[in-house]
Amino acid sequence: MKRYVVAILGATGAVGSRLISELEQSKIPVATVRFLASKRSAGKKLHFKNREIIVEEATPDSFSGVDLVLSSAGGAVSKKLLPEAVKRGAVCVDNTSAFRMDDQVPLIVPGVNDDQLACHHGIIANPNCSTIQMVAALAPLHQRWGLEQIIVSTYQAVSGAGQSAWNEMLQQAQARLNGEEGKANILPTASDKKHYPLAFNLLPQIDVFEDDGYSHEEWKMIHETKKILFNDQDSSRAKVTATCVRVPVEIGHGESIYFSLEDKSATVAEIRKEIAQAPGLVLQDNPQEQLYPQPLSAAGKKETFVGRIREDLENAGAFQMWVVADNLLRGAASNTVEIAEELVKKDLVKVPNN
Ligand code: NAP
Ligand code: 12T
């Protein structure tokens, strides 16, 4: 059996630590691993299957002899280093937004569109965390009844913004309980001009704003969903709109999803059945027993949890549901490692000659 040399780029981060544990548990036959990060972390000791691995500074030559790269060190790092990795023969699964809209790069949610994997040219993109859990929940419904429109509002956990933003929110919460003013230097997004506290607050800004008033996170949800479901990022086959909000939750994004279906015959009971049967989805929907998905119970799990399914009483063929998933696992590391498993299974861990 072929064994693979695997590099984890961004191994010291919030997503990186989960990439390590997901790879440890995966079916991928690993020959050796390399853990890569910035110069700041070079020399730091981490573990893989009880073996000590020393973190190295990521440079183009870090990828010599590497078969597979799992990447999560930010878009700028991916843009710079992944083409170098591909040049050296490595296939890369990238968690950042750097290549998602590139026509040569498949954007994959396993179980939904893995048939697109075979067209890769060395880089495969993992969608945004909010897109993954929404598409996972809607895909079986789309397959049976056809999606006409999606209107989504997200309630996104702070861990999605990285370890330093997560630490900042915890410090703000502690400061407030001590009767002090917390500091805000990162959130809503490090690259923008102003910063606001998230603890005991809500921030309707994730990533920077576009000229049309949408945040880039909202833009990503719209166009990534179309690329995954219709293989066309600008498809008009279904209308999609989004409002993305950061909430003071540590792990687990919540999404209130309103959707309408082309086939108006779908019922709530049938939708529940489709969700319950779909691999990777867990139905938690019993109002009488107060059963519904929550971030605290979804954290640490790979599945996508779906509940509060109900019809729009004033609009036939339209429904609402509430979807929660661990943004660092389902929304990032588990999705990435499942893509890598699929690549191994289909013998696609090789860079095609272009
Ligand atoms: P994080 O906790 O801030 O970790 C960032 C990681 O990137 C660390 O390992 C860091 O290494 C490394 N890094 C930073 N600058 C680097 C450089 N110049 N060269 C090499 N490595 C560098 O962030 P995170 O939450 O894990 O997220 C990382 C990235 O993943 C995000 O920027 C985003 O693009 C993507 N992401 C995607 C999703 C998704 O929706 N699929 C979800 C979350 C994140 P040091 O320890 O040396 O600083
Ligand atoms: N801004 O991978 O801040 O496109 O929660 C993921 C998470 C971008 C991404 C966040 C972001 C991505 C966030």
Side-chain angles (χ1 to χ4, degrees):
M1 181 177 45
K2 182 167 168 42
R3 286 155 66 83
Y4 298 89
V5 178
V6 183
I8 297 186
L9 176 58
T12 53
V15 175
S17 68
R18 273 102 180 146
L19 283 172
I20 295 171
S21 54
E22 291 297 292
L23 182 64
E24 282 176 328
Q25 295 162 38
S26 84
K27 300 180 202 110
I28 298 169
V30 177
T32 51
V33 287
R34 276 184 207 170
F35 290 171
L36 308 173
S38 79
K39 208 175 184 168
R40 295 179 293 272
S41 298
K44 194 172 165 186
K45 291 170 183 153
L46 294 175
H47 287 88
F48 185 78
K49 294 191 175 171
N50 293 323
R51 276 196 313 264
E52 192 173 89
I53 309 286
I54 307 218
V55 177
E56 300 165 62
E57 180 187 355
T59 67
D61 285 330
S62 309
F63 302 101
S64 300
V66 169
D67 300 303
L68 189 58
V69 180
L70 309 180
S71 154
S72 191
V77 177
S78 287
K79 273 194 186 131
K80 192 172 126 207
L81 288 179
L82 297 192
E84 297 292 337
V86 174
K87 241 189 256 173
R88 287 164 178 77
V91 172
C92 308
V93 187
D94 185 29
N95 248 295
T96 79
S97 56
F99 299 102
R100 287 182 193 144
M101 289 298 133
D102 190 324
D103 283 342
Q104 304 272 303
V105 174
L107 181 66
I108 303 292
V109 178
V112 176
N113 67 335
D114 8 40
D115 53 315
Q116 294 293 320
L117 269 181
C119 333
H120 84 76
H121 296 262
I123 300 176
I124 297 97
N126 193 82
N128 180 265
C129 37
S130 308
T131 308
I132 292 173
Q133 68 182 70
M134 180 172 84
V135 167
L138 287 173
L141 312 183
H142 174 55
Q143 214 169 8
R144 178 152 169 201
W145 295 289
L147 275 168
E148 189 178 62
Q149 183 168 24
I150 306 168
I151 303 172
V152 58
S153 295
T154 70
Y155 301 65
Q156 295 185 225
V158 69
S159 55
Q163 192 64 57
S164 49
W166 189 352
N167 295 345
E168 177 174 276
M169 186 195 80
L170 293 176
Q171 281 156 9
Q172 289 164 354
Q174 191 68 63
R176 186 148 183 109
L177 295 178
N178 292 342
E180 297 156 10
E181 180 108 9
K183 292 193 193 74
N185 298 315
I186 301 171
L187 292 159
T189 186
S191 63
D192 215 339
K193 298 174 290 295
K194 290 189 186 170
H195 302 290
Y196 303 112
L198 177 63
F200 305 99
N201 201 10
L202 297 171
L203 298 174
Q205 178 187 359
I206 299 185
D207 215 325
V208 293
F209 285 107
E210 309 285 339
D211 291 340
D212 59 12
Y214 279 76
S215 69
H216 192 55
E217 184 81 352
E218 291 158 354
W219 185 94
K220 283 182 283 190
M221 284 196 80
I222 294 166
H223 295 284
E224 291 180 16
T225 298
K226 293 183 178 203
K227 179 164 173 176
I228 298 161
L229 292 179
F230 309 117
N231 209 13
D232 171 5
Q233 64 184 72
D234 294 312
S235 173
S236 54
R237 273 180 58 193
K239 296 182 206 164
V240 186
T241 189
T243 299
C244 293
V245 181
R246 185 81 68 195
V247 300
V249 163
E250 287 186 88
I251 295 177
H253 290 353
E255 297 183 341
S256 168
I257 305 174
Y258 180 94
F259 59 97
S260 64
L261 298 166
E262 286 166 340
D263 178 347
K264 303 293 172 197
S265 73
T267 66
V268 168
E270 287 170 328
I271 290 173
R272 285 205 181 110
K273 206 167 157 204
E274 286 293 337
I275 300 275
Q277 286 171 350
L281 299 185
V282 177
L283 182 71
Q284 288 183 327
D285 194 12
N286 188 345
Q288 275 64 49
E289 298 296 326
Q290 289 175 278
L291 178 68
Y292 38 74
Q294 299 172 41
L296 279 181
S297 51
K301 313 251 168 63
K302 295 180 203 192
E303 292 84 7
T304 300
F305 299 88
V306 185
R308 302 292 325 277
I309 301 169
R310 60 210 192 277
E311 59 188 319
D312 177 347
L313 300 172
E314 318 225 326
N315 190 6
F319 300 86
Q320 311 246 32
M321 64 182 175
W322 171 245
V323 177
V324 178
D326 182 322
N327 51 297
L328 299 173
L329 287 176
R330 179 73 274 137
S334 307
N335 205 74
T336 299
V337 173
E338 283 172 20
I339 291 172
E341 281 177 341
E342 229 16 68
L343 287 168
V344 166
K345 199 167 106 191
K346 295 183 166 149
D347 195 23
L348 289 168
V349 187
K350 46 197 167 201
V351 177
N353 298 322
N354 293 312

